[in-house]
Amino acid sequence: MVNLKKKALEIRKDVIEMIFHAKTGHTGSDLSCTDILVALYYDVMNIDPRNPDDPDRDRYIQSKGHAAEVYWAVLADKGFIEKEELKTFSAFGSRLIGHPNNKVDGVEMNTGSLGHGLSIATGIALAAKMDNKSYHTFTLLGDGELAEGSVWEGAMAAAHYQLDNLTAIIDRNGLQITGASEDVMKVEPLANKWRAFGWEVIEVDGNDIHALSEELHKQPVDGKPTCIIAHTVKGKGISMAENAAGWHHRVPNQEEYDQAIAELDMQLEALANE
Ligand SMILES: [Mg+2]
């Protein structure tokens, strides 16, 4: 059994390494959803890195594609790709570009043009029903992304087709590239919106990895897709980046990098002493 909290801290370190060395990346966005990816990949999803095309595998579509670094770090740690390859992130000719790329084993779909993931996931979940397959489809959306109208088309269709084999997770950190999501485009009352669209809605602390995992393991309501509103902190784990919209796409300088790694190491140490 993987220690999920420890794994999430190690993945956060990988993310900071990648961004610092490549001098590009979405620091705040990655750290916000790290616990969500770790819960899915280490505790919830039925996937096998040795058989990435298994027709019965669970599917994951990362609609907030810009948080690619955390996705690459998880896929490498799980063994879908070599850990060495992380060093090529964003370099000329690398497969590991700034958004998910399905040339890489484990990636179902190229994403990053926001607003598409839910409709893709809806189609995949509908295909499972048509093919009598029991796999589950998960998709991760940013909260800023909810301003895209296509998200709501997907939401409507998933409920219409009664896709209880689909879970959409909203990384509800309250921020997006230009500021607070409620200032840029109001999404509240968010849970009510999803309920009105016919979804079962669960709210959880998205940085409490065990609480999150527990919700993800719950049996879905018959005939209803599930929306998990994961309340998160953008930049979680590194004090300078927490709740700071400016860190959406910011790269740490040497001093900030040193501090970030030191803070993550301190959290690892505290965890070891628990
Ligand atoms: Mg956000």
Side-chain angles (χ1 to χ4, degrees):
M1 175 75 194
V2 175
N3 181 327
L4 297 175
K5 282 187 184 176
K6 180 165 180 257
K7 184 59 74 182
L9 286 166
E10 290 165 351
I11 295 289
R12 282 185 165 90
K13 280 182 73 176
D14 289 342
V15 163
I16 295 301
E17 294 282 350
M18 287 169 76
I19 292 175
F20 179 66
H21 288 108
K23 298 283 174 257
T24 184
H26 288 84
T27 309
S29 314
D30 287 314
L31 298 176
S32 170
C33 62
T34 301
D35 300 302
I36 298 170
L37 272 88
V38 169
L40 285 171
Y41 274 87
Y42 296 84
D43 195 44
V44 176
M45 286 201 298
N46 170 36
I47 42 151
D48 180 1
R50 286 158 304 178
N51 189 11
D53 297 324
D54 178 357
D56 295 320
R57 70 192 183 281
D58 287 339
R59 305 318 200 254
Y60 171 68
I61 305 291
Q62 188 166 309
S63 196
K64 51 170 287 184
H66 55 281
E69 299 81 25
V70 65
Y71 198 6
W72 299 140
V74 165
L75 289 178
D77 188 71
K78 290 294 290 185
F80 284 94
I81 53 177
E82 295 288 333
K83 199 135 192 196
E84 265 308 287
E85 196 175 346
L86 292 182
K87 292 182 182 155
T88 73
F89 168 62
S90 218
F92 183 73
S94 173
R95 300 185 299 168
L96 306 185
I97 54 177
H99 288 82
N101 160 24
N102 64 6
K103 289 195 182 83
V104 179
D105 281 347
V107 176
E108 305 286 348
M109 190 64 70
N110 296 0
T111 48
S113 288
L114 296 172
H116 296 179
L118 180 57
S119 291
I120 294 166
T122 297
I124 294 172
L126 180 57
K129 292 275 184 190
M130 294 168 83
D131 294 342
N132 283 316
K133 291 279 189 190
S134 60
Y135 66 79
H136 199 94
T137 301
F138 298 89
T139 182
L140 174 64
L141 293 89
D143 53 359
E145 182 181 3
L146 301 178
E148 300 281 357
S150 52
V151 169
W152 301 99
E153 292 181 42
M156 199 155 47
H160 175 80
Y161 290 109
Q162 305 184 342
L163 300 179
D164 47 18
N165 57 350
L166 172 67
T167 300
I169 305 163
I170 316 276
D171 183 2
R172 182 73 173 119
N173 55 37
L175 295 172
Q176 60 195 90
I177 190 164
T178 51
S181 59
E182 288 309 283
D183 294 335
V184 179
M185 183 62 73
K186 227 176 263 310
V187 294
E188 292 294 346
L190 188 56
N192 289 349
K193 282 195 173 77
W194 287 91
R195 283 193 190 104
F197 273 75
W199 287 58
E200 178 66 16
V201 178
I202 292 168
E203 299 203 54
V204 66
D205 177 344
N207 296 125
D208 179 340
I209 200 158
H210 291 291
L212 182 64
S213 214
E214 201 181 309
E215 296 298 346
L216 284 163
H217 276 294
K218 275 191 184 152
Q219 197 60 29
V221 175
D222 238 15
K224 273 184 159 191
T226 302
C227 171
I228 297 186
I229 300 176
H231 294 278
T232 55
V233 171
K234 194 155 184 156
K236 178 73 181 179
I238 294 172
S239 57
M240 75 189 97
E242 286 191 355
N243 276 319
W247 274 90
H248 176 91
H249 200 276
R250 182 163 158 194
V251 174
N253 61 29
Q254 181 71 54
E255 195 182 321
E256 290 163 340
Y257 165 83
D258 292 341
Q259 192 192 326
I261 295 294
E263 283 189 19
L264 291 169
D265 279 337
M266 268 168 54
Q267 292 170 68
L268 276 165
E269 214 179 291
L271 190 63
N273 294 330
E274 257 179 24

